[in-house]
Amino acid sequence: MPKSAIRPVRFTGRLLVALAAVATLVVFFLALISLTDGAGSGLAAWLTTLGAGTVLALWRGRRRTWPARLVPFLPVVVAAALTATVCIPTVPTARQYPPALPFVATQHWSLATGSRVAVYHYPPANPGARHPIPLVYLNGGPVRGISLLDHRFLRLLARQGYDIYAYEQAGGGRSDLLPMSQYTITRSVRDLAAFVDRLNKGEVDILGFSSGGAVLTRALADPRVAARLHRAIIAEPGPMDGPTAHIAGHKGRASARGLAPVLTGPRSTHVPRYAVAFGLMRLGLLTPDTGLIGQAEGDNAFTAADLGTDTASAYCARDAHRIPAEDTAQNFSFSPAASLRIQRTVKDSPSIAPQLRRSRTPAMLMIAECSSQVRQWETTVLANDPAIQRTQYMPGVGHHMWNGLDDNNDRAVAVITAFLQDKPAPLPDYPTRDEIPAFLRDQK
């Protein structure tokens, strides 16, 4: 082979060796991030990687002439530059709360539990049909702000004469953060009881949606909390306890996941620091209380686009190309670390079925046709809560049942108000407890 042909081969070989060295150092850095739980904003892992790379470069260049001794340091410099981006915040590290809403005042209530939560009150807009018992809304998430789509639905309920109170659970929206160790499903239930006490209007009706439905289910299983509740509406609940969370069951009819256009807008996961942090947290390789990014920084960084296909999964396949804007970038708020922390406390919790079987609070279960929830999360509640008086299977809607499309909001209002007023249900009672096996078979 002529010398002119050998030179490109040698150059290619050296380039591949250099790239392999960079990749090895990056992988080593990520492994150290996991082992140190991101200590010191990742600097502990970065300095160790830099030190190890420097020692390796010195060893590789020990027999080379002086200028050539610098060559092994090139991969170290490149790897150091790449990994340094994981250690540098690109958003404020102190919590930046959403601005005030123009259509409703934000109150802040300090609860007996120590939580300080953002509260929204929609008084009855129809005095002639005023209902005496307040209705409290528990939104989903967990640890997510109340979306503008939900605020519109709450105003619709207020126009039916209901006195509506909603609060963003600790860490979500405009509510104050908690120390990471205090985010537990038990704390969420205690906060609900403390909120009702702080409201000081006697028994209340509760509408709990998604993870809010799971909080409500656990409240019904606790006699001390259930004594404060008049009627309960459990809408599309998440898993109520550890055994339920580990069920790998069936979901509803086809959702818009994979069919809807990809959400546009900035993503925190396009920034190396947050892609690594949120990715490793989701994989369980970083704890929610990681030293890599603080809770406030993570909340500031996370955007609606980071939810990916989760939003589309809350709508039916037929609605894939008309999914409404649920929120604005200014109002959107989600705490990924605190949410994971609460979800893990649910998964680690023992069964509450024995306690739930003693529930006496009149309740209704709402199930969506195109639900993205595991059906057994819903039917387990139905099977174990003897006080569930009716189940309303909502055709033509996904997990987010009140979504502003067609007459979906009006149908949800009709179902909710009929139960709260103890009037005949607008839909068949389906599935009943006896129909659960057939219902689950029908979902296959």
Side-chain angles (χ1 to χ4, degrees):
M1 182 180 293
K3 291 183 178 180
S4 59
I6 292 174
R7 287 171 185 166
V9 172
R10 286 178 176 173
F11 174 79
T12 302
R14 289 170 181 168
L15 180 60
L16 291 174
V17 169
L19 290 174
V22 171
T24 300
L25 288 171
V26 170
V27 170
F28 181 67
F29 169 77
L30 294 176
L32 286 174
I33 286 285
S34 298
L35 290 172
T36 62
D37 199 26
S41 195
L43 286 175
W46 187 80
L47 291 171
T48 303
T49 302
L50 181 61
T54 300
V55 170
L56 182 61
L58 289 171
W59 182 81
R60 290 184 59 202
R62 69 191 186 284
R63 294 179 180 175
R64 302 185 184 187
T65 58
W66 170 243
R69 289 183 182 180
L70 297 177
V71 174
F73 284 91
L74 181 60
V76 179
V77 172
V78 173
L82 290 174
T83 54
T85 60
V86 178
C87 305
I88 301 172
T90 60
V91 299
T93 56
R95 183 71 176 105
Q96 304 292 299
Y97 293 95
L101 293 168
F103 49 80
V104 64
T106 304
Q107 306 173 50
H108 284 92
W109 290 7
S110 295
L111 306 181
T113 55
S115 298
R116 187 170 181 268
V117 297
V119 181
Y120 309 95
H121 179 212
Y122 292 102
N126 183 359
R130 185 185 181 110
H131 301 280
I133 298 175
L135 175 60
V136 174
Y137 176 61
L138 283 177
N139 68 303
V143 199
R144 181 174 175 176
I146 299 175
S147 70
L148 297 182
L149 198 64
D150 280 5
H151 276 290
R152 285 195 286 272
F153 182 67
L154 297 179
R155 292 203 296 273
L156 183 58
L157 282 170
R159 286 199 289 273
Q160 304 300 312
Y162 289 95
D163 193 17
I164 308 293
Y165 288 85
Y167 70 94
E168 289 169 320
Q169 297 171 52
R174 296 165 184 81
S175 294
D176 287 6
L177 308 182
L178 295 175
M180 189 59 66
S181 62
Q182 294 186 25
Y183 288 107
T184 66
I185 189 63
T186 301
R187 174 61 171 264
S188 298
V189 175
R190 290 175 53 226
D191 278 351
L192 171 59
F195 179 84
V196 175
D197 287 346
R198 174 68 171 75
L199 184 59
N200 195 28
K201 291 195 174 186
E203 291 184 346
V204 300
D205 295 325
I206 304 279
L207 168 60
F209 167 65
S210 193
S211 64
V215 173
L216 177 54
T217 302
R218 294 181 71 97
L220 294 172
D222 186 336
R224 296 167 298 179
V225 184
R228 300 166 168 87
L229 311 183
H230 178 254
R231 283 181 173 251
I233 301 170
I234 308 166
E236 282 286 288
M240 68 182 193
D241 54 24
T244 310
H246 288 92
I247 294 175
H250 304 289
K251 298 186 180 180
R253 307 297 183 199
S255 76
R257 182 188 290 270
L259 302 174
V262 178
L263 286 176
T264 59
R267 293 175 182 257
S268 68
T269 47
H270 288 170
V271 180
R273 177 173 175 82
Y274 307 112
V276 169
F278 297 145
L280 293 181
M281 266 193 265
R282 182 172 288 274
L283 292 171
L285 298 175
L286 285 180
T287 68
D289 202 16
T290 176
L292 182 58
I293 61 170
Q295 178 189 171
E297 182 188 349
D299 294 3
N300 294 337
F302 202 89
T303 69
D306 286 319
L307 292 174
T309 58
D310 283 357
T311 298
S313 70
Y315 294 84
C316 290
R318 57 169 115 21
D319 296 326
H321 295 282
R322 60 169 193 157
I323 292 176
E326 294 190 344
D327 219 341
T328 62
Q330 292 74 28
N331 187 64
F332 177 81
S333 170
F334 181 69
S335 179
S339 181
L340 280 173
R341 164 80 182 164
I342 290 180
Q343 291 177 59
R344 288 178 187 174
T345 66
V346 173
K347 291 178 180 178
D348 293 340
S349 67
S351 173
I352 64 167
Q355 293 82 11
L356 188 59
R357 293 187 191 114
R358 295 194 289 269
S359 174
R360 296 295 179 267
T361 304
M364 176 177 71
L365 178 65
M366 296 177 70
I367 301 177
E369 178 185 5
C370 309
S371 177
S372 55
Q373 305 289 77
V374 173
R375 286 305 194 193
Q376 283 88 338
W377 294 353
E378 302 157 340
T379 58
T380 299
V381 178
L382 176 60
N384 288 284
D385 185 349
I388 291 180
Q389 298 178 346
R390 62 180 76 168
T391 302
Q392 300 285 270
Y393 181 79
M394 307 291 291
V397 294
H399 179 59
H400 207 151
M401 291 181 285
W402 38 86
N403 51 39
L405 297 176
D406 303 328
D407 64 343
N408 293 340
N409 282 12
D410 291 333
R411 290 193 294 129
V413 166
V415 164
I416 291 168
T417 56
F419 173 71
L420 293 179
Q421 297 174 37
D422 200 20
K423 294 181 178 179
L427 296 173
D429 183 13
Y430 173 77
T432 63
R433 290 178 187 83
D434 293 339
E435 294 171 324
I436 289 175
F439 175 74
L440 293 176
R441 285 195 300 271
D442 186 51
Q443 305 303 309
K444 293 182 180 179

